[in-house]
Amino acid sequence: MSVHRNARKVTTHTLLEMKRAEEKITMLTAYDYSLAKLVDQAGVDVILVGDSASNVMAGQVTTVPMTLDHMIYHAQCVQRAVDRALIVVDMPFGTYQGNSAIALESAIRIMKEAEGHAVKLEGGSEIIQSVERILTAGIPVMGHLGLTPQSIYKFGTYTVRAKEEEEAEKLISDAKLLEATGCFAIVLEKIPRELAKRVQESISIPTIGIGAGPDCDGQVLVLHDLLGITMDFSPRFLRRYLNLAEDINSAITNYCEDVRAGSFPNDSESYTS
Ligand code: KIV
């Protein structure tokens, strides 16, 4: 019997059950009401209000400038649309690193003002006090290891992480630490598939991969990449299911032609007195 199809509302517990039942978890980003509604109605299990909004919504080069107020605004828009999926909200850069009191305050704002269901933090042992403190308030936490875009200025590049054994060992020990501390799932971004499999087998909470191969318990993509809205981003792991940029361009071009030719609006598109 499918765990996820039975779930009227997806909870962190549903995801754990899905891992145990070896049912794959689906996760996608959303940042606004209209697309979040479509994503939820299509049956996605987890909607991530990702700080990738910084790139795809705000046109910024990195996720670093994202603020807590921005994240809360996007999460509020998504929350109004969603009936079934679990909503996870990214904690933006600067709201949890190095100060667990600020981390707790920020997570509480996300839960109270946006009614998110959980928060996601990037990092392992370096941020564990913040994870611990947020969990004490009963707020579920999703971890994020491997390529952690908020640390781009430390890495210097968005290339595959943890190819060397030392970094791989640290990643596995961070995953175990996040599980022991109480995280309900961990995103693994852009790491070798063999390492993702080792992590998946070493912990009993779900791993959700992006560029981490097929052995994770679930997969996540940025919605705008999957739909082919963002065309300047083509990593190996990305499968585009639509070329929406092309379709949108031709729809708008046709609209402009019709307006310029005077054929829009026609009689049936006009009111009479
Ligand atoms: O912000 C985001 O979209 C993410 C995903 C890439 C996992 O963190």
Side-chain angles (χ1 to χ4, degrees):
M1 181 71 73
S2 159
V3 174
H4 90 278
R5 272 183 229 108
N6 276 353
R8 200 176 63 79
K9 278 191 186 294
V10 178
T11 65
T12 57
H13 185 69
T14 318
L15 303 185
L16 283 171
E17 284 187 338
M18 287 174 75
K19 171 158 180 147
R20 286 191 202 119
E22 295 184 17
E23 267 180 56
K24 293 282 188 185
I25 297 164
T26 56
M27 172 160 144
L28 277 178
T29 64
Y31 320 99
D32 70 289
Y33 175 84
S34 303
L35 285 177
K37 202 168 192 63
L38 294 174
V39 172
D40 190 47
Q41 286 172 348
V44 164
D45 302 309
V46 184
I47 293 183
L48 173 66
V49 185
D51 61 355
S52 49
S54 181
N55 310 111
V56 298
M57 300 300 288
Q60 290 170 140
V61 176
T62 74
T63 56
V64 171
M66 211 57 184
T67 68
L68 187 57
D69 286 339
H70 289 142
M71 291 308 301
I72 288 172
Y73 168 74
H74 287 295
Q76 285 169 337
C77 299
V78 167
Q79 189 277 333
R80 288 183 204 114
V82 171
D83 286 328
R84 177 181 173 277
L86 181 81
I87 302 171
V88 179
V89 184
D90 263 340
M91 295 196 57
F93 178 70
T95 60
Y96 60 92
Q97 295 93 339
N99 188 328
S100 65
I102 291 179
L104 177 59
E105 215 174 88
S106 309
I108 287 176
R109 276 198 64 200
I110 289 171
M111 300 302 280
K112 276 180 103 83
E113 294 177 37
E115 295 179 69
H117 304 146
V119 295
K120 176 163 81 60
L121 280 67
E122 296 182 4
S125 55
E126 315 77 18
I127 54 131
I128 209 67
Q129 284 172 350
S130 294
V131 172
E132 218 162 20
R133 195 144 176 185
I134 292 168
L135 285 164
T136 60
I139 300 172
V141 176
M142 179 180 270
H144 183 152
L145 298 172
L147 176 66
T148 47
Q150 291 177 13
S151 308
I152 181 59
Y153 292 113
K154 176 177 152 199
F155 297 144
T157 145
Y158 288 106
T159 192
V160 180
R161 302 301 313 171
K163 283 178 124 176
E164 305 300 329
E165 191 52 26
E166 195 183 336
E167 195 181 339
E169 288 298 337
K170 156 97 167 89
L171 192 145
I172 293 172
S173 98
D174 278 342
K176 289 180 178 168
L177 179 63
L178 290 171
E179 176 180 31
T181 307
C183 286
F184 69 91
I186 302 176
V187 166
L188 298 176
E189 180 164 355
K190 235 177 168 187
I191 59 171
R193 59 183 291 176
E194 299 80 7
L195 174 59
K197 189 167 192 294
R198 281 168 70 193
V199 177
Q200 193 276 339
E201 290 168 350
S202 319
I203 58 177
S204 53
I205 56 172
T207 53
I208 316 275
I210 174 164
D215 296 305
C216 296
D217 301 296
Q219 297 292 326
V220 55
L221 282 177
V222 168
L223 182 64
H224 291 59
D225 298 337
L226 170 154
L227 295 177
I229 296 175
T230 46
M231 297 307 285
D232 50 355
F233 180 67
S234 294
R236 169 202 282 255
F237 67 76
L238 173 60
R239 188 180 295 178
R240 284 202 176 87
Y241 287 82
L242 273 180
N243 267 319
L244 215 46
E246 260 176 49
D247 290 347
I248 291 173
N249 184 277
S250 85
I252 294 171
T253 307
N254 289 343
Y255 162 77
C256 291
E257 275 172 18
D258 289 352
V259 170
R260 287 176 191 135
S263 66
F264 175 80
N266 61 23
D267 288 349
S268 69
E269 288 156 343
S270 307
Y271 298 100
T272 52
S273 49

